[in-house]
Amino acid sequence: MSTTQSDRLRGLLEPLVAARGMDLEEIELSRAGKRRMLRIIVDSDEGVELDACAELSREVSDTLDESDVMGEDEYVLEVSSPGADRPLTERRHYLRAVGRLVKFQLSAGGEQEAGELVARILAADDEGLDLEVPGVKGRKATARRIAYTDIAKARVEIEFNRKDKKEEEA
């Protein structure tokens, strides 16, 4: 997708998404044979429900039909939330992942060694994250602080036996 088309799509769609209290995470235009696929990824602090995606999809479709940004060629529109394996790249992603287990690839810098770390995010602020590193072989968990600048990559780990916050409060 050309930068100009990407910018025009973002300028057209961001206000629609923001009006629904969501963030426009990604716009992806690809070609599958003769067809084009426009994928729009949205998220919010509360997550995104299927009904909200369907409503937004109808609104986006109407807006795109009234605009010339997609040209005359046919395309398939998909509006969805990010998958569980989406990389964490923005501060808001880390805020939404508080309480979750995350696998970090750390970059070397200052006192920081490069390497891999799996830890639970306890808090996120403007500079970095407060983590709980699980103990190994019966040892207690330890607290650790890392700066965003020390993170090369981060991705939420899927936990099948994780207790939901509501279960813990009950």
Side-chain angles (χ1 to χ4, degrees):
M1 171 166 58
S2 73
T3 303
T4 306
Q5 186 177 26
S6 175
D7 292 343
R8 288 184 64 206
L9 280 167
R10 185 164 287 281
L12 189 65
L13 301 178
E14 211 151 28
L16 293 177
V17 174
R20 294 186 170 272
M22 296 184 227
D23 296 311
L24 179 58
E25 295 290 347
E26 188 176 337
I27 297 173
E28 181 182 298
L29 184 61
S30 59
R31 193 167 280 287
K34 295 180 180 182
R35 296 172 64 191
R36 293 183 302 160
M37 168 72 97
L38 176 60
R39 182 172 288 121
I40 298 167
I41 309 294
V42 296
D43 202 2
S44 79
D45 291 343
E46 295 79 35
V48 180
E49 294 186 7
L50 187 58
D51 289 344
C53 281
E55 290 171 17
L56 181 60
S57 180
R58 285 188 287 276
E59 192 173 347
V60 165
S61 180
D62 291 345
T63 301
L64 291 174
D65 288 347
E66 294 168 6
S67 158
D68 67 344
V69 71
M70 290 301 293
E72 296 297 317
D73 295 340
E74 289 184 17
Y75 62 92
V76 175
L77 173 64
E78 180 183 299
V79 176
S80 66
S81 61
D85 63 344
R86 168 205 48 200
L88 305 177
T89 56
E90 303 285 334
R91 181 177 173 265
R92 68 178 178 266
H93 298 163
Y94 292 103
L95 287 169
R96 292 174 184 156
V98 168
R100 306 289 304 270
L101 197 63
V102 175
K103 181 188 258 182
F104 297 93
Q105 274 307 124
L106 302 175
S107 54
E111 299 175 19
Q112 179 67 49
E113 287 184 31
E116 193 172 279
L117 172 67
V118 176
R120 189 168 308 281
I121 298 176
L122 299 177
D125 58 34
D126 290 340
E127 286 82 41
L129 306 170
D130 292 323
L131 306 175
E132 178 184 70
V133 181
V136 180
K137 296 183 181 178
R139 293 188 178 145
K140 287 187 175 184
T142 57
R144 182 164 178 187
R145 172 92 180 155
I146 61 172
Y148 293 120
T149 55
D150 293 335
I151 302 170
K153 288 189 214 175
R155 193 176 305 267
V156 170
E157 291 282 279
I158 305 300
E159 296 179 85
F160 293 106
N161 59 352
R162 176 176 177 245
K163 289 184 181 177
D164 191 5
K165 287 180 185 176
K166 290 176 186 166
E167 287 179 33
E168 291 174 2
E169 292 170 0

